[in-house]
Amino acid sequence: MLKPKEVCQRLGISYRTLQSYVKKGYIKPVILQSGKWRFREEDVEKLMGIVRRRKVILYARVSSNAQKDDLVNQVKYLQEQVKDYDQVITDVGSGLNMKRKGFLKLLRMILNNEVSKVVIAYPETLTRFGFEIIEEVCKAHNCEIVVLNMEDKTPEQELIEDLVSILVSFSGKLYGMRSQKYEKVEKCVEELKN
């Protein structure tokens, strides 16, 4: 977001001219709670005649390394369904883990207004919970999420799948914590032996 002064400098105009542009609808400010104006960089670039091409991203995810073949198949399926795309982003990790590298990269690109469309196989591909939040973030940045396989599930089916996901995630974390604990104990035992 750019301050009015920065916009004026980029466009080579005065503050009064910027106010006139806003009144005429050439550019729309984002009004902060404090009442101050901020402007989207892409809106300023449009006024300058610069139009950046936004990307179509295919996003695929599986939960574990054991499913790498599934990941390859998922990417192949997305590529068959969408012929005109710019980039494929993949992840291996739980749908509950919001710190996945690919997911964070995709989210940054969306927030920077670099993406026009994200294509996924299932809603759970992006995130197990909070899909609606991600959808709203995308809408706010003029990015469309296309889900190729939208299944109609009963509320009971959704609840069961969500509970299983939570159990798998937490048991995985617990198992990981235990293995780290045992590794530390083994290191201490080795150090005592030496």
Side-chain angles (χ1 to χ4, degrees):
M1 298 294 244
L2 300 171
K3 295 178 180 178
K5 183 179 179 180
E6 296 168 323
V7 174
C8 291
Q9 288 172 344
R10 284 196 185 184
L11 296 175
I13 60 174
S14 67
Y15 185 73
R16 279 193 188 267
T17 304
L18 179 62
Q19 288 176 318
S20 171
Y21 283 7
V22 170
K23 281 183 184 176
K24 291 177 181 176
Y26 296 155
I27 190 167
K28 185 179 177 185
V30 175
I31 302 172
L32 304 176
Q33 286 182 337
S34 63
K36 295 182 179 182
W37 286 0
R38 294 294 180 266
F39 296 88
R40 291 191 172 101
E41 195 160 346
E42 64 189 34
D43 293 340
V44 175
E45 287 177 350
K46 274 184 192 173
L47 274 177
M48 296 170 70
I50 300 170
V51 179
R52 281 193 264 161
R53 185 179 180 286
R54 298 174 73 195
K55 297 178 180 179
V56 174
I57 306 291
L58 306 181
Y59 179 80
R61 178 191 63 81
V62 292
S63 297
S64 68
N65 285 324
Q67 297 173 314
K68 288 248 178 171
D69 290 340
D70 292 340
L71 185 62
V72 170
N73 291 335
Q74 196 179 136
V75 168
K76 199 179 294 183
Y77 171 72
L78 290 171
Q79 289 172 329
E80 288 170 359
Q81 298 299 313
V82 181
K83 299 297 182 199
D84 189 24
Y85 65 91
D86 299 293
Q87 189 174 347
V88 176
I89 297 177
T90 60
D91 262 328
V92 176
S94 167
L96 295 174
N97 179 3
M98 300 302 270
K99 294 182 180 179
R100 298 182 313 267
K101 286 182 183 179
F103 176 76
L104 291 174
K105 177 181 179 180
L106 176 63
L107 192 57
R108 277 189 216 101
M109 290 172 72
I110 291 167
L111 294 173
N112 288 330
N113 298 310
E114 298 171 24
V115 181
S116 64
K117 187 185 296 184
V118 177
V119 183
I120 55 177
Y122 299 96
E124 306 85 50
T125 306
L126 275 178
T127 182
R128 193 67 191 164
F129 296 110
F131 180 78
E132 294 81 12
I133 295 170
I134 303 297
E135 212 170 23
E136 286 301 316
V137 168
C138 287
K139 281 180 190 173
H141 291 274
N142 298 317
C143 176
E144 176 187 7
I145 298 178
V146 177
V147 182
L148 297 178
N149 296 313
M150 199 66 157
E151 294 178 9
D152 287 331
K153 297 177 186 174
T154 65
E156 293 83 10
Q157 287 173 315
E158 285 185 17
L159 180 62
I160 289 169
E161 287 181 13
D162 290 347
L163 288 173
V164 168
S165 294
I166 291 170
L167 287 172
V168 167
S169 176
F170 289 152
S171 63
K173 285 182 182 179
L174 183 61
Y175 178 75
M177 288 170 33
R178 285 184 183 159
S179 65
Q180 289 173 0
K181 185 177 177 181
Y182 291 130
E183 286 175 16
K184 288 179 185 177
V185 170
E186 287 174 5
K187 284 181 185 177
C188 289
V189 169
E190 288 298 319
E191 287 175 9
L192 289 173
K193 286 182 181 178
N194 295 330

